[in-house]
Amino acid sequence: TNKPFVYVVFVLFQILGAVILGFGIWILADKTSFIAVLQMSSPSLKTGAYILIGVGALTMLMGFLGCLGAVNEIRCLLGLYFTCLMVILITQVAAGLVIYFQKETLKEELSHIVGTLIENYDPLNDDERNLQDAWDYVQTQIACCGWTGAQDWENNKVLINQSMTAYPCSCSNSSKDLQVDSGFCNLDVPVNGTATYADWPVHEQGCMDGVEKWLKDNLGVILGVCSGVAVIELLGMILSISLCKNIHSEDYTKVPKS
């Protein structure tokens, strides 16, 4: 057996597991980006984050056990390693297929989540401060307003009470609002005491278009990462099967005792 090659492969799995684990922790810890809006509004994303943490930890453990089995020629450890890798790979493929075929349902759920957030947005509500700050960050960074457009903010209860004479500062395309990225800004000259979103100095693009554009721009990177992960997993499965076939007898005395 080419042991240096074996070491490299299993070290790759340790790194892969750490990356997956870190990504799951980042989803839970992120409080400023679009991920924060989703994970604070949708229990399914939180569940997904915990699954990623579990898969990452399991991948790191499997990398260690696989390396131990390969170095000490323990067939049962290699078999366990192969089985867990196969389960992880099948789970990833199944998750990808579910996301692909349920994308319209997920899009509707996302529209509902953001719509409810915009409707109930209130700068004086400290209970929802983190969620509202995350959405303000999204609108500021993407240079967008609302989900489908600025008209979404006409459903906001606070703005309705103000006859639309104010607008979300994070939507602003005016240079004077650059230092303000949360809460509501007042219109300079209200039209007869009332206004509509068309009177606001805000971005025309809705955040849905911005998010879709970001996904399209980064689709190659996303697919590349997913493909790379799948290739590494397949490589590990092939390697473990190959090593199993080359082991003619097992000596369990080689396994380190605790």
Side-chain angles (χ1 to χ4, degrees):
T1 303
N2 190 341
K3 287 191 176 183
F5 174 72
V6 172
Y7 293 147
V8 168
V9 172
F10 289 115
V11 165
L12 279 177
F13 274 95
Q14 294 291 89
I15 296 172
L16 176 62
V19 170
I20 295 173
L21 178 67
F23 187 60
I25 293 172
W26 171 68
I27 290 176
L28 290 178
D30 192 307
K31 300 298 180 187
T32 59
S33 72
F34 189 61
I35 291 292
V37 176
L38 295 181
Q39 71 102 343
M40 283 188 276
S41 305
S42 175
S44 58
L45 189 67
K46 273 190 176 180
T47 303
Y50 287 121
I51 291 173
L52 284 174
I53 291 173
V55 168
L58 180 62
T59 302
M60 292 180 71
L61 176 61
M62 286 303 100
F64 172 73
L65 292 180
C67 188
L68 191 64
V71 172
N72 294 289
E73 298 184 346
I74 306 299
R75 187 176 290 173
C76 67
L77 288 180
L78 290 171
L80 176 64
Y81 175 74
F82 173 84
T83 303
C84 288
L85 267 188
M86 185 172 63
V87 170
I88 291 172
L89 184 59
I90 291 173
T91 303
Q92 288 171 343
V93 172
L97 290 174
V98 168
I99 291 172
Y100 179 78
F101 288 110
Q102 297 293 319
K103 58 185 177 182
E104 290 304 320
T105 303
L106 293 172
K107 192 173 180 179
E108 288 178 9
E109 181 184 353
L110 186 54
S111 296
H112 174 72
I113 290 170
V114 176
T116 302
L117 166 61
I118 289 174
E119 182 180 335
N120 298 319
Y121 183 102
D122 184 351
L124 300 179
N125 185 358
D126 290 331
D127 293 336
E128 298 292 330
R129 174 66 54 215
N130 287 339
L131 182 58
Q132 293 177 168
D133 285 348
W135 181 245
D136 282 326
Y137 178 85
V138 171
Q139 293 191 139
T140 302
Q141 293 301 308
I142 299 181
C144 58
C145 191
W147 184 239
T148 59
Q151 66 272 15
D152 292 346
W153 282 97
E154 287 197 315
N155 297 320
N156 179 265
K157 297 171 183 177
V158 176
L159 293 180
I160 290 173
N161 290 335
Q162 295 184 28
S163 301
M164 300 297 159
T165 57
Y167 57 92
C169 299
S170 57
C171 282
S172 178
N173 60 11
S174 172
S175 57
K176 72 180 182 63
D177 294 326
L178 287 178
Q179 302 304 316
V180 184
D181 55 11
S182 64
F184 294 129
C185 295
N186 293 317
L187 277 173
D188 291 335
V189 184
V191 183
N192 298 323
T194 62
T196 66
Y197 76 90
D199 300 309
W200 298 344
V202 297
H203 299 290
E204 295 181 3
Q205 182 188 42
C207 294
M208 178 177 67
D209 294 335
V211 171
E212 287 183 348
K213 183 179 183 300
W214 180 87
L215 287 173
K216 287 177 181 177
D217 290 344
N218 293 275
L219 187 60
V221 175
I222 295 170
L223 290 176
V225 170
C226 292
S227 299
V229 169
V231 167
I232 293 174
E233 289 171 346
L234 284 171
L235 181 62
M237 291 169 66
I238 293 169
L239 180 62
S240 61
I241 286 293
S242 175
L243 290 172
C244 271
K245 288 182 177 180
N246 291 329
I247 296 174
H248 300 293
S249 62
E250 297 176 291
D251 183 3
Y252 288 94
T253 61
K254 293 181 180 179
V255 180
K257 301 295 191 298
S258 57

